[in-house]
Amino acid sequence: MCLTCLGSAMMATPGIAAPEIFPDHAPAPRWLGDNAPTGSITWTGCAGLVFDVDGQRICFDPFVSNPGVVDTFARPARSDERRVRAAFGDVAAAFVGHTHWDHAMDVATVAADGADIYGSATTVEVCRRQGVAESQLHTVRDGSRVTVGPFTVDAIASRHGLVPIANKIDVIELRGKGLPRSPFRWPRGDVFAYRLEVGGTSVHIQTSAGIEDAPLQRQQPVDILFACLAARQGTPDYFDRLAATLQPRVLIPCHHDNFLVSQDKPPRPVARLDWPAFLDVAARLQRRYGTRLVQLPRGVAVAF
Ligand SMILES: [Zn+2]
Ligand SMILES: [Zn+2]
């Protein structure tokens, strides 16, 4: 049975209404409780997030250009500048989890409007090769702490999820000169998760579905866990290991939309999403830690 059929079957059963994968409405007000800072969070697709507090904005993994299959494999990366500026205009800083195109190919466009860029040495070098000023480029390491306006961000060494077949031909480091010949050849580089603190609220952003145990275990519990769903199957006990340390009050899925489909179209599930299995995990975390599943509509600023 395909996911669509399974979803339809569950919806057709009286008393059982499985959360849809991509809701188009925001969660109910005060979904984070009464003590949250005044601001908004926007899930921009893939692992992209924008946080706006008191008019100051930062983003993580800015990517909205979504080249199609042919462009991803056969043409140089080309950022959709209009779309990038609409999503990430006025951000003071962008934090990048790793340098694959679905996390990093729009970063130089974000930097063109003055944002500081934080990421691995590979991310920094890719931006440098696109003409981003040295003064805007900042290499992070495990444990790096950065303060931008009301936001404090810690870099956490992490790992990439295991993508079947693709991980055998993955490019790890940037070589030669210039840029890779297609988005698919953008190198991974080092992988980071991030912890964000703002106004007494803490957020862990698991940008990819691998785990580096010691840096994760160093973390304190958080209010919100954003967790990448793509390629999580290769990481044993992925959610249990994240939740055992982070004990999140709220779990929000991300990187679960198919990034080979233009954002002109409604979001579709990424390959091997296995939404029912994710819902089982979310229910387990609710029983263990009281974690609530919250979903954000793509591209909509949601107050918190
Ligand atoms: Zn990746
Ligand atoms: Zn990715």
Side-chain angles (χ1 to χ4, degrees):
M1 182 183 280
C2 75
L3 274 180
T4 308
C5 302
L6 181 61
S8 302
M10 293 176 77
M11 299 300 267
T13 307
I16 299 177
E20 56 193 321
I21 302 173
F22 300 111
D24 58 8
H25 52 275
R30 300 218 302 277
W31 56 272
L32 191 52
D34 291 327
N35 297 323
T38 306
S40 68
I41 305 176
T42 308
W43 172 54
T44 56
C46 217
L49 297 168
V50 176
F51 292 83
D52 185 325
V53 172
D54 297 333
Q56 303 198 59
R57 287 154 58 86
I58 62 171
C59 68
F60 293 82
D61 286 342
F63 169 69
V64 286
S65 290
N66 294 33
V69 174
V70 173
D71 286 351
T72 293
F73 291 94
R75 301 202 176 103
R78 186 186 302 168
S79 197
D80 182 337
E81 295 184 12
R82 182 191 58 78
R83 196 187 292 275
V84 172
R85 294 210 159 95
F88 306 107
D90 297 332
V91 299
F95 295 83
V96 182
H98 64 281
T99 322
H100 281 154
W101 86 96
D102 56 310
H103 299 249
M105 73 166 267
D106 287 335
V107 173
T109 303
V110 175
D113 289 337
D116 280 317
I117 306 302
Y118 297 86
S120 72
T122 306
T123 295
V124 162
E125 179 59 22
V126 163
C127 289
R128 185 179 285 131
R129 293 185 185 191
Q130 294 174 90
V132 179
E134 211 60 41
S135 60
Q136 292 172 261
L137 295 174
H138 310 276
T139 304
V140 300
R141 295 175 183 79
D142 182 38
S144 293
R145 173 166 289 186
V146 178
T147 299
V148 181
F151 306 101
T152 300
V153 180
D154 290 321
I156 306 161
S158 193
R159 293 190 190 182
H160 200 274
L162 287 176
V163 184
I165 302 172
N167 71 317
K168 303 258 190 280
I169 54 175
D170 197 10
V171 180
I172 305 302
E173 294 302 334
L174 185 63
R175 296 201 179 88
K177 295 178 180 172
L179 290 174
R181 60 182 181 273
S182 69
F184 185 70
R185 305 308 292 169
W186 276 46
R188 188 199 70 197
D190 289 339
V191 180
F192 293 93
Y194 290 99
R195 180 187 177 100
L196 164 67
E197 303 253 0
V198 58
T201 293
S202 54
V203 186
H204 180 101
I205 303 163
Q206 191 69 24
T207 61
S208 189
I211 290 175
E212 186 76 36
D213 277 314
L216 173 65
Q217 287 167 7
R218 199 176 66 220
Q219 305 305 310
Q220 298 298 310
V222 291
D223 295 304
I224 305 174
L225 166 60
F226 278 96
C228 164
L229 295 195
R232 68 191 186 281
Q233 289 84 355
T235 303
D237 304 321
Y238 172 60
F239 275 105
D240 297 288
R241 289 156 70 192
L242 287 173
T245 298
L246 300 171
Q247 301 181 18
R249 290 171 52 217
V250 168
L251 167 66
I252 306 180
C254 68
H255 211 327
H256 55 321
D257 55 331
N258 185 334
F259 47 88
L260 297 172
V261 176
S262 166
Q263 290 208 4
D264 286 335
K265 297 177 178 161
R268 294 186 208 158
V270 74
R272 300 194 312 143
L273 174 59
D274 200 350
W275 186 246
F278 169 69
L279 293 181
D280 285 347
V281 164
R284 188 162 75 239
L285 299 195
Q286 179 157 38
R287 288 193 299 274
R288 268 189 206 159
Y289 306 108
T291 303
R292 283 183 297 113
L293 173 63
V294 170
Q295 295 169 262
L296 303 186
R298 190 173 72 180
V300 177
V302 171
F304 67 104

